Amino acid sequence: MVAIAIPDIATDLQQAIGAPYVQFDHTTRALYSTDASNYQIMPIGVTYPRTVEDVVAIHEITAKYNTPLLPRGGGSGLAGQTVGEAVIIDFSRYLRRVRSVNADERTVIVESGMVLEQLNNQLRGMGLMYGPDPASANRATIGGCIGNNATGSHSIIYGMTSDNIQRLQVVLASGELVWLDTHNTTLNDMRTKIGQLARDHADEIAQRYPKTFRTVAGYALNKIDPDDVNLNWLFAGSEGTLGTIVAAELKLVEYMPPPARRLAMVHFETLRASLEATPRILELNPSAIELMDKMLMDRTRNNAEYARYMDFVEGDPQAVLVVEFYGESDAELDSKIADLRALMTRLGHHSSITVAQSAQQQANVWKIRKAGLGLLMSERSDKKPIAFVEDAAVPVEQLADYIDDVTQVVHGEGTEFAIYAHASAGCLHVRPLVNLKSLAGRRQYRNIAEALTDAAVKYSGTITGEHGQGIARGEFTEKLFGSELMNAFREIKHCFDPDNRMNPGKIIDTPAMDDPAVLRYTPEYEVIELKTRFDWSDDLGVSGATEMCNGAGVCRKEGSGTMCPSYMATRDERHSTRGRANALRLAMSGQLPDGMASDDLHDIYSLCLSCKACKSECPSSVDVAKMKAEYLATRYDTKGTPLTARLFGNIHRVNKLGSLVPVLTNFMLTSPFGLTFAKAFGLPTERPLPTLAKSRFSQTINRPSVASATATLIIDTFTEYNHPEIGQAVLDIANKIGVELNVLRLPKQGCCGRPALSKGLLDQAKQMATDNVRYIRDHVPDGALLFLEPSCQSAFLDDYTTLVNPDLQDAAKSIAARSASVERWLHGQLHDKSLAWDTTPANVMLHGHCHQKALWQTDDTLLLLRLMPDSEVSEIDSGCCGVAGSFGYEHYAISMDIGNQRLLPAIEDAPEATVVAPGTSCRAQITDAGHAVLHPVELINNTLKGLH
């Protein structure tokens, strides 16, 4: 293909499927040049088909120009199979519907872009599920699972994806749309050729194929019956090299709810001991045996979000086997756990065995196991536990000996490794620590890969048990299968794709796994570090922070958690945490046109809500909110600061000015004349602008500081000017129970600086943080610092510690340790007292603020609310409200899309409930939608009479 044809291809594609669904711009292509692997290859362009007919058109047009194609789902491939110099077909945005379900036959027909977890959520009400459960199920698409032949923790029960396919609908390279089980000239000829290949190479197939069912290397000729050829076997694990899967009819199994399961965590003093025990434990017929090693557990303990789920580990074991059993009753499950304990005793095991019985306990264990990849990659260093030999599978009885070889090879190369594994299936995710930016690291990469390929062959295993070959392992296919079968694979490829257009360079004729032309990081990789306001030293600079994104795509999950609100609304890679971190990395390394001045980069960050969810929910703690603030400050240095940023970033000053004449100000904010005036200044007016209270909170109180008080309430901007009733509610509660509470309006700006932080006014925010830290250090006595507004608390708790100068960082950390929500303090004051309550609401629903959920959780708020008698208190699984400071005013449509995903429907479904939310922005979203909402302390004040 010649470069001159690219504009013609783009034009033809736009005419065929619509211009918005074809993107050949540099930035989009750059974002799709990476996946979760070590590789980076610039694609030709990206398409987003909405129908099967669109996919057919894409094939026909690219065939006209002899252009390569690459079907892609969530882009979570670990071996580089979803990057390449091709036109990418992204299925994950639109082609994601369930076409039909046959509950009697236990089958479902689903389009390729459907996310596996979303599919199971829809099937659960019918008591059904899809069996294979890869750790990436919350973002992996069905098409991607088939292309990889994915499986997961329960493969000893449910097998591989290939075992669960009834039939596939594919578009062949020529553009022909077929179900693979139908009979026509094209498919009949293919069956004849494939059957003959299986017959001709039967002896080599029997001798050379790995002696484990967990293998996706090569093409599955070993599964082909020469007399009854089922082409599904070849497409499963083909990595898009034979054709494009657009839909699949899948086999389903009975859904197994947590009450029918039990987990036992068997602790070991050595890694080898855990693997030696695995074959014996398999004799008890568990449903899964998963391994977690010490490095994974240590990384988990260092992650604020995931550490709280680690209560199932006792002491500091070198390895833990998570053994799961299914059963029909508690008695049956108790018996199986007892059998496990007895077996371990006979084996001379003396370490702990803990048990997870409840659904929540089990979910906690699986949450950590499935986050293993990201948790291991949270290493703040250029030397990371990377994927390249992470997917070998060997017969289970060979596990212990294989890991001895791994240890010898990796230690011999002067490094160490982490491991987590599907021990029950002999699949070991071994991750050596390697720095690909160094020449020594590149040598380790090659030497370890070659040696461990030899080890896998030695034990009759495979180089890939579920993650695929891609680029990382493609060159070793011939070493695994021999030249005869390698030539057979080439014939299979030619049979389906004679022009070599379908994801070329995968499975056969792949580039070298250490070819610098395809690696993301090499010794030649360079970045231009920014002039920063935050202290990024713990991340090795802003560039190091962007490189913490390993591409696994956990941020692309939908329908759970908070990260990433704008991705959930748009399903656009640009607006995922991965997309934003990757875009900044590309800009800093000179791989985006205009670099940091790129308008595309600004567009990408404009839809970041600074919700901070990525800092906690991303297993690698990629803090895009902090990156956004730093990036905007850098942009303003050269491009100037927009008026809207100055206005919203200085809302404390705007409110102070407006509070001088609040009646007039409110008229201007709500009248047609005022809105016209606002529009003239470029202010958004689709959402009602917040009005001012008649009196400022600080003007309504006269409370000198009391030396005996052990806590100080920090007055935030919104309590001061917009909602003084909330501050008054706290004081009323304190009076009712007879406790002292000091009140502080911060001097100088009287603001924490959160609005300035969120708008990238970092020089201003830095000065505000400095003033506040110095004043509190020098003038506020020891004791808790209390906050009504979570975003204000998060500034003190999270941002100040790296924003102030080094000489103030210790003071900032001390202040952060003193910072607490008012709800936490009130619960401490109330929980052990005899209280008199007025009539309390029967149903209370809490919507937690994003910063609260990310940094300190909603537990204290829930505990406070549950002090009310005769009330059922629950937390809405709501994610982000969608307003997030000024975001909901500047991006109204998307903010409503976010709010309407979970939060607003949950409130509408419970009209009798009392809704509470501590965040000012959150309450604005709820009230703007026509629902009543209170701050939690208002509800407590309304219902608490006082002490008995």
Side-chain angles (χ1 to χ4, degrees):
M1 187 198 68
V2 292
I4 193 70
I6 291 179
D8 298 331
I9 299 168
T11 299
D12 285 2
L13 287 170
Q14 288 170 348
Q15 291 175 348
I17 72 173
Y21 313 106
V22 178
Q23 296 179 359
F24 276 52
D25 62 283
H26 185 96
T27 299
T28 299
R29 292 164 55 220
L31 292 179
Y32 280 81
S33 68
T34 56
D35 53 10
S37 72
N38 304 317
Y39 300 98
Q40 179 171 328
I41 304 174
M42 196 69 153
I44 295 167
V46 182
T47 60
Y48 307 92
R50 293 169 293 162
T51 65
V52 170
E53 290 73 24
D54 285 351
V55 180
V56 171
I58 293 167
H59 280 69
E60 291 174 343
I61 291 168
T62 52
K64 170 184 172 183
Y65 291 97
N66 194 29
T67 305
L69 276 176
L70 198 170
R72 173 163 160 153
S76 57
L78 291 169
Q81 58 267 62
T82 58
V83 296
E85 188 178 0
V87 172
I88 288 177
I89 310 174
D90 184 345
F91 282 88
S92 66
R93 193 180 295 185
Y94 299 112
L95 272 169
R96 42 186 292 147
R97 292 173 288 268
V98 173
R99 293 186 185 174
S100 64
V101 180
N102 187 328
D104 294 332
E105 296 294 327
R106 291 189 176 182
T107 60
V108 60
I109 298 178
V110 61
E111 292 175 339
S112 290
M114 168 62 77
V115 173
L116 175 52
E117 186 175 272
Q118 298 291 316
L119 172 63
N120 277 334
N121 289 342
Q122 294 186 43
L123 294 172
R124 192 164 299 141
M126 306 174 71
L128 298 172
M129 69 178 190
Y130 176 73
D133 56 344
S136 58
N138 62 358
R139 69 269 191 198
T141 63
I142 293 298
C145 290
I146 297 170
N148 246 34
N149 201 6
T151 181
S153 301
H154 295 87
S155 61
I156 56 174
I157 295 179
Y158 302 125
M160 311 283 287
T161 291
S162 55
D163 299 305
N164 294 271
I165 295 172
Q166 189 76 11
R167 58 185 184 140
L168 297 176
Q169 186 182 34
V170 306
V171 180
L172 300 175
S174 63
E176 184 177 356
L177 174 67
V178 295
W179 283 96
L180 288 180
D181 61 338
T182 57
H183 289 271
N184 62 28
T185 301
T186 301
L187 293 178
N188 289 342
D189 287 348
M190 288 178 174
R191 290 189 187 95
T192 299
K193 292 175 182 177
I194 300 302
Q196 191 60 48
L197 284 172
R199 190 174 288 110
D200 291 346
H201 301 287
D203 291 342
E204 279 290 285
I205 290 170
Q207 179 180 347
R208 298 300 297 258
Y209 266 79
K211 303 303 184 285
T212 169
F213 76 96
R214 284 287 291 258
T215 181
V216 296
Y219 294 116
L221 264 180
N222 61 322
K223 296 288 188 177
I224 298 296
D225 179 350
D227 300 316
D228 185 17
V229 175
N230 182 345
L231 297 177
N232 294 336
W233 290 112
L234 295 184
F235 270 75
S238 66
E239 300 181 3
T241 60
L242 303 181
T244 299
I245 300 162
V246 292
E249 184 173 7
L250 303 174
K251 303 171 187 176
L252 303 176
V253 298
E254 179 184 358
Y255 169 61
M256 295 297 293
R261 310 179 188 192
R262 192 75 53 84
L263 296 181
M265 278 59 67
V266 187
H267 297 47
F268 291 89
E269 295 179 0
T270 67
L271 178 60
R272 181 179 175 90
S274 69
L275 297 175
E276 286 177 334
T278 298
R280 297 297 307 277
I281 296 174
L282 279 171
E283 296 170 7
L284 301 177
N285 297 315
S287 53
I289 307 176
E290 295 291 296
L291 170 71
M292 293 186 286
D293 82 336
K294 177 175 168 53
M295 186 180 291
L296 172 59
M297 290 184 282
D298 287 345
R299 295 292 186 277
T300 305
R301 291 187 182 98
N302 291 331
N303 182 289
E305 166 69 9
Y306 291 88
R308 58 199 181 99
Y309 302 118
M310 279 286 287
D311 57 356
F312 62 87
V313 177
E314 294 184 355
D316 190 26
Q318 292 295 306
V320 169
L321 288 181
V322 179
V323 184
E324 183 188 65
F325 293 100
Y326 286 174
E328 297 294 329
S329 66
D330 283 345
E332 181 182 353
L333 291 168
D334 289 342
S335 176
K336 290 183 176 183
I337 296 295
D339 290 345
L340 174 64
R341 292 186 185 276
L343 171 65
M344 297 313 298
T345 298
R346 292 196 299 273
L347 295 178
H349 178 266
H350 301 293
S351 298
S352 298
I353 300 177
T354 59
V355 177
Q357 184 166 339
S358 72
Q360 187 58 59
Q361 290 172 327
Q362 293 181 38
N364 292 348
V365 177
W366 287 119
K367 185 179 182 77
I368 290 173
R369 169 59 190 85
K370 291 188 175 186
L373 185 158
L375 287 165
L376 287 173
M377 293 297 285
S378 63
E379 183 80 12
R380 256 63 184 174
S381 167
D382 284 335
K383 190 176 184 180
K384 298 183 187 296
I386 60 174
F388 66 108
V389 292
E390 89 296 344
D391 200 38
V394 299
V396 178
E397 60 273 12
Q398 306 286 356
L399 275 174
D401 289 340
Y402 175 77
I403 208 63
D404 281 350
D405 284 14
V406 170
T407 302
Q408 181 178 350
V409 167
V410 175
H411 289 178
E413 287 295 325
T415 187
E416 55 184 330
F417 64 92
I419 181 172
Y420 57 99
H422 305 298
S424 54
C427 186
L428 302 177
H429 296 328
V430 173
R431 286 176 164 262
L433 273 70
V434 173
N435 176 12
L436 286 174
K437 295 179 182 178
S438 70
L439 290 173
R442 278 265 296 284
R443 285 193 295 272
Q444 291 172 330
Y445 193 57
R446 160 65 59 183
N447 293 344
I448 292 171
E450 290 188 344
L452 292 190
T453 297
D454 291 340
V457 173
K458 168 184 171 183
Y459 293 109
S460 301
T462 182
I463 53 178
T464 174
E466 62 178 336
H467 293 167
Q469 290 181 260
I471 301 171
R473 290 174 278 272
E475 71 167 282
F476 301 119
T477 306
E478 187 162 350
K479 181 178 283 190
L480 187 65
F481 290 101
S483 59
E484 180 181 325
L485 287 178
M486 195 67 201
N487 287 330
F489 295 158
R490 290 190 175 96
E491 291 186 55
I492 292 172
K493 169 71 169 173
H494 184 77
C495 177
F496 284 90
D497 180 26
D499 297 320
N500 192 30
R501 293 194 308 108
M502 301 305 302
N503 200 9
K506 312 301 184 326
I507 298 184
I508 63 168
D509 303 324
T510 62
M513 53 89 69
D514 57 348
D515 183 346
V518 297
L519 281 170
R520 189 188 312 196
Y521 299 115
T522 68
E524 294 74 37
Y525 179 84
E526 294 181 351
V527 297
I528 301 172
E529 286 291 351
L530 307 181
K531 169 196 169 185
T532 62
R533 278 75 167 182
F534 283 107
D535 179 358
W536 294 88
S537 55
D538 287 347
D539 298 289
L540 304 182
V542 183
S543 62
T546 68
E547 292 165 17
M548 288 307 301
C549 177
N550 55 67
V554 177
C555 49
R556 290 172 58 99
K557 63 183 174 57
E558 303 172 45
S560 64
T562 301
M563 175 185 66
C564 171
S566 48
Y567 174 77
M568 292 186 194
T570 64
R571 294 204 291 265
D572 188 334
E573 174 70 18
R574 289 171 172 248
H575 302 306
S576 65
T577 298
R578 177 174 73 179
R580 293 189 181 105
N582 206 9
L584 187 57
R585 178 188 69 84
L586 290 164
M588 294 180 67
S589 58
Q591 299 182 71
L592 282 189
D594 301 324
M596 294 299 297
S598 167
D599 288 337
D600 281 348
L601 188 61
H602 181 260
D603 291 343
I604 288 169
Y605 274 90
S606 68
L607 292 192
C608 171
L609 286 82
S610 298
C611 68
K612 290 185 179 285
C614 49
K615 181 169 183 175
S616 61
E617 292 183 26
C618 170
S620 299
S621 299
V622 175
D623 191 347
V624 168
K626 187 175 176 182
M627 291 178 197
K628 177 186 178 180
E630 197 74 80
Y631 157 69
L632 288 175
T634 300
R635 181 178 175 87
Y636 299 159
D637 287 342
T638 56
K639 297 259 187 178
T641 305
L643 176 61
T644 52
R646 293 187 185 278
L647 287 171
F648 282 119
N650 285 278
I651 194 68
H652 62 292
R653 292 192 173 106
V654 175
N655 279 352
K656 182 177 181 180
L657 181 62
S659 70
L660 298 176
V661 281
V663 175
L664 177 60
T665 301
N666 290 340
F667 172 77
M668 293 292 291
L669 291 171
T670 58
S671 70
F673 172 78
L675 294 177
T676 301
F677 183 78
K679 286 181 180 179
F681 279 87
L683 292 175
T685 56
E686 291 176 285
R687 182 184 296 279
L689 295 169
T691 56
L692 300 174
K694 292 181 180 179
S695 300
R696 293 162 54 176
F697 177 54
S698 60
Q699 294 173 339
T700 64
I701 59 174
N702 183 17
R703 297 171 62 96
S705 294
V706 179
S708 59
T710 60
T712 300
L713 175 65
I714 305 294
I715 305 175
D716 60 85
T717 294
F718 305 109
T719 300
E720 172 72 355
Y721 296 109
N722 305 96
H723 300 289
E725 69 277 6
I726 298 175
Q728 190 58 54
V730 180
L731 301 184
D732 289 348
I733 296 170
N735 289 336
K736 288 177 183 179
I737 61 175
V739 299
E740 300 290 350
L741 176 63
N742 286 331
V743 178
L744 172 65
R745 176 158 166 72
L746 293 166
K748 296 191 177 182
Q749 298 91 345
C751 176
C752 67
R754 167 59 60 209
L757 281 162
S758 67
K759 302 308 294 182
L761 306 177
L762 288 192
D763 291 329
Q764 177 182 329
K766 188 181 187 78
Q767 187 59 55
M768 297 169 82
T770 298
D771 291 342
N772 291 338
V773 168
R774 282 179 176 159
Y775 183 85
I776 292 173
R777 179 194 64 183
D778 297 339
H779 297 96
V780 179
D782 291 342
L785 301 172
L786 307 181
F787 298 87
L788 283 160
E789 173 57 45
S791 63
C792 184
Q793 181 179 342
S794 72
F796 282 80
L797 184 68
D798 185 48
D799 299 283
Y800 281 14
T801 57
T802 55
L803 184 60
V804 298
N805 288 332
D807 63 305
L808 280 179
Q809 285 185 3
D810 287 343
K813 291 174 183 177
S814 176
I815 289 170
R818 296 165 58 189
S819 300
S821 66
V822 167
E823 299 98 293
R824 178 181 181 183
W825 178 76
L826 282 176
H827 178 262
Q829 298 298 318
L830 297 175
H831 79 281
D832 59 352
K833 291 181 172 62
S834 179
L835 304 171
W837 297 88
D838 203 341
T839 303
T840 55
N843 182 8
V844 179
M845 293 169 52
L846 167 69
H847 166 67
H849 188 281
C850 290
H851 291 192
Q852 177 184 21
K853 289 184 282 193
L855 300 177
W856 64 92
Q857 299 300 311
T858 57
D859 297 354
D860 294 323
T861 307
L862 290 168
L863 287 171
L864 173 65
L865 293 169
R866 286 170 180 156
L867 292 177
M868 296 185 299
D870 304 319
S871 289
E872 180 181 340
V873 178
S874 62
E875 183 173 5
I876 305 172
D877 179 16
S878 50
C880 179
C881 73
V883 174
S886 66
F887 182 91
Y889 298 89
E890 297 177 281
H891 305 284
Y892 176 75
I894 288 181
S895 78
M896 291 307 300
D897 286 344
I898 295 169
N900 282 317
Q901 287 187 342
R902 285 182 282 161
L903 172 61
L904 297 179
I907 294 173
E908 290 161 4
D909 289 344
E912 80 293 344
T914 299
V915 181
V916 294
T920 301
S921 297
C922 309
R923 294 194 302 276
Q925 178 73 298
I926 295 167
T927 55
D928 291 348
H931 306 291
V933 61
L934 298 170
H935 192 289
V937 302
E938 290 184 282
L939 180 58
I940 295 297
N941 187 45
N942 292 345
T943 56
L944 178 65
K945 290 182 177 180
L947 300 174
H948 267 304

